[in-house]
């Protein structure tokens, strides 16, 4: 799993980092140490690439800003779904005040889902590429396996979502 993680994430970094790139690690609830180790290692591998920045801090919720877009990231296991939008405007008040558009992205529920415009924030739950395990199967938590690629326009919100193969 660790070797495949390096392979996939390094491919993504190598293919997309021709511009300034910020990589944010948000810990999940199943493999925190492995995830941290992978992203800490990636930070060391790319340490001489001045245009690639990493945040591997243990903060549970992070954000990035792209033009007028504020995007919050969290795994989603510690905050109830209906409350996942509210933290962004409080924890990142300055960025909230400067941006026209806000979204929160999580992944804990392993399926693609969009809850739009709750308090002006769009919440997106992202699917996973991992195989369905017995626990998920037993609970009928079966979804398509996918990685989503979001394209934002600096001044005009989310423009498209791609499902790369």
């Amino acid at each position: 799993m660790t070797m495949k993680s390096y392979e996939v994430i390094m491919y993504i970094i190598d293919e997309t980092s021709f511009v300034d790139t910020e990589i944010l690690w948000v810990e999940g609830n199943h493999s925190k140490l492995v995830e941290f180790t992978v992203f800490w290692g990636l930070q060391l591998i790319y340490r001489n690439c001045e245009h690639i920045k990493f945040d591997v801090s243990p903060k549970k919720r992070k954000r990035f800003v792209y033009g007028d877009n504020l995007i919050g990231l969290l795994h989603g296991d510690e905050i109830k779904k209906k409350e996942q939008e509210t933290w962004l405007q409080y924890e990142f008040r300055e960025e909230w005040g400067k941006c026209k558009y806000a979204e929160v992205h999580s992944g804990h529920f392993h399926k693609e889902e969009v809850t739009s415009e709750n308090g002006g924030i769009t919440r997106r739950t992202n699917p996973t590429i991992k195989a369905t395990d017995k626990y998920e199967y037993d609970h009928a938590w079966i979804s398509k396996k996918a990685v989503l690629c979001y394209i934002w326009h600096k001044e005009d919100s989310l423009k498209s979502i791609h499902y790369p193969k």
Side-chain angles (χ1 to χ4, degrees):
M1 182 176 97
T2 303
M3 292 185 302
K4 192 58 154 177
S5 297
Y6 272 104
E7 183 182 318
V8 169
I9 298 168
M10 287 178 72
Y11 173 80
I12 293 168
I13 292 170
D14 291 343
E15 292 296 313
T16 61
S17 64
F18 50 87
V19 295
D20 287 342
T21 303
E22 187 176 358
I23 297 159
L24 307 171
W25 169 64
V26 178
E27 77 177 35
N29 63 324
H30 294 291
S31 54
K32 295 174 188 177
L33 182 58
V34 172
E35 294 168 19
F36 172 78
T37 303
V38 167
F39 281 92
W40 182 260
L42 289 167
Q43 178 179 264
L44 295 175
I45 290 168
Y46 291 96
R47 69 182 173 271
N48 295 323
C49 300
E50 294 179 13
H51 67 290
I52 302 175
K53 305 289 182 225
F54 283 82
D55 179 350
V56 295
S57 67
K59 292 180 181 176
K60 299 258 185 200
R61 295 174 298 280
K62 297 182 181 178
R63 64 86 187 117
F64 70 94
V65 174
Y66 181 67
D68 288 335
N69 302 282
L70 172 61
I71 298 95
L73 304 170
L74 75 159
H75 180 70
D77 59 318
E78 294 185 350
I79 301 176
K80 292 178 183 174
K81 272 186 177 184
K82 64 182 179 181
E83 298 168 347
Q84 286 187 5
E85 297 91 357
T86 58
W87 64 272
L88 188 62
Q89 60 198 2
Y90 298 109
E91 291 184 32
F92 299 103
R93 190 173 300 275
E94 183 176 337
E95 294 90 337
W96 174 264
K98 292 179 180 178
C99 291
K100 292 180 186 175
Y101 309 100
E103 293 199 2
V104 171
H105 290 237
S106 68
H108 178 65
F109 296 98
H110 296 196
K111 63 180 179 179
E112 185 177 4
E113 183 178 57
V114 178
T115 304
S116 60
E117 300 304 333
N118 185 1
I121 302 173
T122 300
R123 181 179 54 84
R124 297 181 188 278
T125 304
N126 292 284
T128 183
I129 57 172
K130 80 174 230 16
T132 302
D133 59 34
K134 181 181 181 336
Y135 184 80
E136 292 167 332
Y137 178 80
D138 289 348
H139 288 84
W141 297 340
I142 300 166
S143 67
K144 65 182 169 192
K145 306 302 176 208
V147 172
L148 279 61
C149 176
Y150 297 93
I151 307 296
W152 275 278
H153 186 277
K154 274 189 152 181
E155 291 86 31
D156 196 23
S157 186
L158 181 65
K159 289 288 137 195
S160 61
I161 301 172
H162 299 269
Y163 298 81
K165 300 256 181 215

